[in-house]
Amino acid sequence: MKQWEQYFRKVVPYVPGEQPNKPGMIKLNTNENPYPPSPEVKKAMEEFKMDQLRLYPDPSSTVLTEALGEVYGLKNEQIFVGVGSDDVLATAFLTFFNSTEPILFPDITYSFYEVWAALYNIPFETIPLNEDFTIRKEDYYRKNGGIVIANPNAPTSLNLGLDAVRDILEHNRESVVIVDEAYVEFGGETALPLLKEFENLLIVQTFSKAYSMAGIRIGYAFGAPSLIKALNDVKYSYNSYTMNQPSLCYGAEAVRDQKYHKEILDRIMKTRTWAAESLRGLGFTILDSKTNFFFASHREVPAEVIFNELRKKDIYVRYFKKPGIDNFLRITIGTDEEMKAFIDAVSDIIKEQKAF
Ligand code: PMP
């Protein structure tokens, strides 16, 4: 080991889903939206003036926070934006979780929470889900340094009702509660109505899924002005210009086009309904998804086998080799055509495997 290496920060990084790029592949592994972003974004791209790149972007990202504020009925001082919700969540962990008490989150959830906690030396405790993968709200009625709930949860796809979220907030008036709503538009219940009642609530959402803009990297948080100010203070302590000028413009256009946004959500939810039925017909157990993905397990063929066989056919889904979920696949909901091709391939794999 080199002398200086002892001073390196030792981390075990989060591993994102692979990003293969093969012609004709079916990519259902990272919960991207199969439809293009709003046509208004395309127009804004065509009209974007190169000269704007000469200048630094507005550090307060007003173009984007104003558009979000108009659509979601909030003031600028209640909105924080970042480079994807990963950036927003990482900043929130750094800002709010400085207690010596552990922060709490479910044992099966977005695995980045553990990585940020480790990165920032935040003590944490993971709370087991019920056997049916639901969250037991009573488990969060205890002393803590903060709470993080993904709702709907990932990779389980299950929604926690608003009453349960309210209960968790009512029992935790002393710490910040983050509700990560990356998938909420696909049939979940947003905690937005609770913002008026709880000054310690931070809601985090993203452009990556429901706005079909994972490639542009925009996430945002809604919360009381005191929380948003604290987030901005931390942001300005390491990088004033996190958001680039094109992202700010395109994001604002995307959020203003609610009609298109609702249309593509509707399409994905319709695909979800028939695809779930077809998969159940093939012997899969599918949890009641309120997201743009399925969490699925087959009665006879192990998930890892299906995952590997699909891969051979250039069909990509996500498999987590982790206790408790190692017989499940997370399958992003694609277009009708993609889902038909996926279901045909899976059906063949199951037949082949059963014949063994
Ligand atoms: N939260 C959850 C629960 C997620 O699944 C993801 C996507 N990996 C994110 C946050 C981060 O998404 P993004 O950074 O693209 O906004």
Coordinates of all heavy atoms in Angstrom, one line a residue, residues 128-167:
P128 N -36.8 -4.8 9.3 CA -37.3 -5.8 8.4 C -38.7 -5.5 7.9 O -39.5 -5.0 8.7 CB -37.3 -7.1 9.3 CG -36.3 -6.8 10.4 CD -36.4 -5.3 10.6
L129 N -39.0 -5.8 6.7 CA -40.3 -5.7 6.2 C -41.1 -6.9 6.7 O -40.5 -7.9 7.1 CB -40.3 -5.7 4.6 CG -39.7 -4.6 3.9 CD1 -39.8 -4.9 2.4 CD2 -40.4 -3.3 4.2
N130 N -42.4 -6.8 6.6 CA -43.3 -8.0 6.9 C -43.0 -9.1 5.8 O -42.4 -8.7 4.8 CB -44.7 -7.6 6.8 CG -45.2 -6.8 8.0 OD1 -44.7 -7.0 9.1 ND2 -46.0 -5.8 7.7
E131 N -43.4 -10.3 6.1 CA -43.1 -11.4 5.1 C -43.7 -11.1 3.7 O -43.1 -11.5 2.7 CB -43.7 -12.7 5.7 CG -42.6 -13.6 6.1 CD -43.1 -14.9 6.6 OE1 -43.9 -15.5 5.9 OE2 -42.6 -15.3 7.6
D132 N -44.8 -10.3 3.7 CA -45.4 -10.0 2.4 C -44.8 -8.8 1.8 O -45.4 -8.2 0.9 CB -46.9 -9.9 2.6 CG -47.3 -8.8 3.5 OD1 -46.4 -8.1 4.0 OD2 -48.5 -8.5 3.7
F133 N -43.7 -8.3 2.3 CA -42.9 -7.2 1.8 C -43.6 -5.8 2.1 O -43.2 -4.8 1.6 CB -42.7 -7.3 0.3 CG -41.8 -8.4 -0.1 CD1 -42.3 -9.5 -0.8 CD2 -40.5 -8.5 0.2 CE1 -41.6 -10.6 -1.1 CE2 -39.7 -9.5 -0.1 CZ -40.2 -10.6 -0.8
T134 N -44.6 -5.8 3.0 CA -45.2 -4.5 3.4 C -44.4 -3.9 4.5 O -43.7 -4.6 5.2 CB -46.7 -4.7 3.8 OG1 -46.7 -5.7 4.8 CG2 -47.5 -5.1 2.6
I135 N -44.6 -2.6 4.7 CA -43.9 -1.8 5.7 C -44.8 -1.8 6.9 O -46.0 -1.5 6.8 CB -43.6 -0.4 5.3 CG1 -42.4 -0.4 4.2 CG2 -43.2 0.5 6.4 CD1 -42.2 0.9 3.5
R136 N -44.3 -2.1 8.1 CA -45.1 -2.0 9.3 C -44.8 -0.7 10.0 O -43.7 -0.4 10.5 CB -44.7 -3.2 10.3 CG -45.9 -3.9 10.9 CD -45.3 -5.1 11.6 NE -44.5 -4.7 12.7 CZ -44.9 -4.5 14.0 NH1 -46.2 -4.7 14.3 NH2 -44.0 -4.1 14.9
K137 N -45.8 0.2 10.0 CA -45.6 1.6 10.4 C -45.1 1.7 11.9 O -44.3 2.5 12.2 CB -46.8 2.5 10.1 CG -48.1 2.1 10.9 CD -49.2 3.0 10.5 CE -50.4 3.0 11.4 NZ -51.1 1.7 11.5
E138 N -45.6 0.7 12.7 CA -45.3 0.8 14.1 C -43.8 0.6 14.4 O -43.3 1.0 15.4 CB -46.1 -0.3 14.9 CG -47.6 -0.1 14.9 CD -48.3 -0.6 13.7 OE1 -47.6 -1.2 12.7 OE2 -49.5 -0.4 13.5
D139 N -43.1 0.0 13.4 CA -41.7 -0.2 13.6 C -40.9 1.1 13.6 O -39.7 1.1 13.9 CB -41.1 -1.1 12.4 CG -41.6 -2.5 12.5 OD1 -42.0 -3.0 13.6 OD2 -41.5 -3.2 11.5
Y140 N -41.6 2.2 13.2 CA -40.9 3.5 13.1 C -41.3 4.4 14.2 O -41.0 5.6 14.1 CB -41.2 4.1 11.7 CG -40.6 3.2 10.6 CD1 -41.3 2.1 10.1 CD2 -39.3 3.4 10.1 CE1 -40.8 1.2 9.1 CE2 -38.8 2.6 9.1 CZ -39.5 1.5 8.7 OH -38.9 0.7 7.7
Y141 N -42.0 3.8 15.2 CA -42.4 4.6 16.4 C -41.3 4.5 17.4 O -41.5 3.9 18.5 CB -43.7 4.1 17.0 CG -44.9 4.1 16.1 CD1 -46.1 3.5 16.5 CD2 -44.9 4.8 14.9 CE1 -47.2 3.5 15.7 CE2 -46.0 4.8 14.1 CZ -47.2 4.1 14.5 OH -48.3 4.1 13.7
R142 N -40.1 4.9 17.2 CA -39.0 4.8 18.1 C -38.0 5.8 17.9 O -37.9 6.4 16.8 CB -38.4 3.4 18.1 CG -37.7 3.1 16.8 CD -36.8 2.0 16.9 NE -37.3 0.8 16.2 CZ -36.5 -0.2 15.9 NH1 -35.2 -0.2 16.1 NH2 -37.0 -1.3 15.2
K143 N -37.1 6.0 18.9 CA -36.1 7.1 18.8 C -35.2 6.9 17.6 O -34.8 5.7 17.3 CB -35.3 7.0 20.1 CG -34.8 8.4 20.5 CD -34.3 8.4 21.9 CE -33.8 9.8 22.2 NZ -32.5 9.8 22.8
N144 N -34.9 7.9 16.9 CA -34.1 7.8 15.7 C -33.5 9.1 15.3 O -33.9 10.2 15.8 CB -34.9 7.2 14.5 CG -36.1 8.2 14.1 OD1 -35.8 9.3 13.6 ND2 -37.3 7.8 14.5
G145 N -32.5 9.1 14.4 CA -31.9 10.3 13.9 C -32.5 10.7 12.5 O -31.9 11.6 11.9
G146 N -33.5 10.1 12.1 CA -34.2 10.4 10.8 C -34.8 9.1 10.2 O -34.4 8.0 10.7
I147 N -35.7 9.3 9.3 CA -36.3 8.1 8.6 C -36.3 8.3 7.1 O -36.5 9.5 6.7 CB -37.8 8.0 9.2 CG1 -37.7 7.6 10.7 CG2 -38.6 7.0 8.3 CD1 -39.1 7.4 11.3
V148 N -36.1 7.3 6.4 CA -36.2 7.3 5.0 C -37.2 6.2 4.5 O -36.9 5.0 4.8 CB -34.9 7.1 4.2 CG1 -35.0 7.5 2.8 CG2 -33.8 7.9 4.9
I149 N -38.2 6.6 3.8 CA -39.2 5.6 3.3 C -39.3 5.8 1.8 O -39.6 6.9 1.4 CB -40.6 5.7 3.9 CG1 -40.5 5.6 5.4 CG2 -41.6 4.8 3.3 CD1 -40.6 4.3 6.0
A150 N -39.0 4.8 1.0 CA -39.3 4.9 -0.5 C -40.8 4.5 -0.6 O -41.2 3.4 -0.2 CB -38.4 4.0 -1.3
N151 N -41.6 5.4 -1.2 CA -43.0 5.1 -1.3 C -43.5 5.6 -2.7 O -43.6 6.8 -2.9 CB -43.8 5.8 -0.2 CG -45.2 5.2 -0.1 OD1 -45.4 4.0 -0.4 ND2 -46.1 6.0 0.2
P152 N -43.9 4.6 -3.6 CA -43.8 3.2 -3.4 C -42.4 2.7 -3.2 O -41.5 3.4 -3.6 CB -44.4 2.7 -4.8 CG -45.2 3.8 -5.3 CD -44.6 5.0 -4.8
N153 N -42.3 1.5 -2.5 CA -41.0 1.0 -2.2 C -40.4 0.4 -3.4 O -41.1 -0.1 -4.3 CB -41.1 0.1 -1.0 CG -39.7 -0.2 -0.4 OD1 -38.7 0.5 -0.6 ND2 -39.7 -1.2 0.5
A154 N -39.1 0.4 -3.5 CA -38.3 -0.3 -4.5 C -37.3 -1.3 -3.8 O -36.7 -0.9 -2.9 CB -37.6 0.7 -5.4
P155 N -37.2 -2.5 -4.3 CA -37.7 -3.0 -5.5 C -39.1 -3.7 -5.3 O -39.5 -4.4 -6.3 CB -36.7 -4.1 -5.9 CG -36.2 -4.6 -4.6 CD -36.2 -3.4 -3.7
T156 N -39.8 -3.5 -4.2 CA -41.0 -4.3 -4.0 C -42.2 -3.8 -4.8 O -43.1 -4.6 -5.1 CB -41.4 -4.3 -2.5 OG1 -41.8 -3.0 -2.2 CG2 -40.3 -4.8 -1.6
S157 N -42.2 -2.6 -5.2 CA -43.2 -1.9 -6.0 C -44.5 -1.6 -5.2 O -45.5 -1.1 -5.8 CB -43.6 -2.8 -7.3 OG -44.5 -3.9 -6.9
L158 N -44.5 -1.9 -3.9 CA -45.7 -1.7 -3.1 C -45.9 -0.3 -2.6 O -44.9 0.3 -2.1 CB -45.7 -2.7 -1.9 CG -45.7 -4.2 -2.3 CD1 -45.6 -5.0 -1.0 CD2 -47.0 -4.5 -3.1
N159 N -47.1 0.2 -2.5 CA -47.4 1.5 -2.0 C -47.8 1.4 -0.5 O -48.4 0.5 -0.1 CB -48.6 2.0 -2.8 CG -49.1 3.4 -2.3 OD1 -48.3 4.4 -2.3 ND2 -50.3 3.5 -1.8
L160 N -47.3 2.4 0.3 CA -47.7 2.5 1.7 C -48.8 3.6 1.7 O -48.5 4.7 1.2 CB -46.5 2.9 2.5 CG -46.7 3.1 4.0 CD1 -47.1 1.7 4.7 CD2 -45.5 3.6 4.7
G161 N -50.0 3.3 2.3 CA -51.1 4.3 2.2 C -50.7 5.6 2.9 O -49.9 5.6 3.8
L162 N -51.4 6.7 2.5 CA -51.1 8.0 3.1 C -51.4 8.0 4.6 O -50.6 8.7 5.3 CB -52.0 9.0 2.4 CG -51.5 10.5 2.4 CD1 -50.1 10.6 2.0 CD2 -52.5 11.3 1.6
D163 N -52.3 7.3 5.1 CA -52.6 7.3 6.5 C -51.4 6.7 7.3 O -51.1 7.2 8.4 CB -53.8 6.4 6.8 CG -55.1 7.1 6.4 OD1 -55.1 8.3 6.1 OD2 -56.1 6.4 6.3
A164 N -50.8 5.7 6.7 CA -49.6 5.1 7.4 C -48.5 6.1 7.4 O -47.7 6.3 8.4 CB -49.2 3.8 6.7
V165 N -48.3 6.8 6.3 CA -47.2 7.8 6.2 C -47.5 8.9 7.2 O -46.6 9.4 7.9 CB -47.1 8.4 4.7 CG1 -46.1 9.5 4.7 CG2 -46.8 7.3 3.7
R166 N -48.7 9.3 7.3 CA -49.1 10.4 8.3 C -48.8 9.9 9.7 O -48.2 10.6 10.6 CB -50.6 10.7 8.2 CG -51.0 11.8 9.2 CD -52.6 11.8 9.4 NE -53.2 12.2 8.1 CZ -53.3 13.4 7.7 NH1 -52.9 14.4 8.5 NH2 -53.9 13.7 6.6
D167 N -49.1 8.6 10.0 CA -48.9 8.1 11.3 C -47.4 8.1 11.6 O -47.0 8.4 12.8 CB -49.3 6.6 11.4 CG -50.7 6.5 11.9 OD1 -51.4 7.5 12.1 OD2 -51.2 5.3 12.2

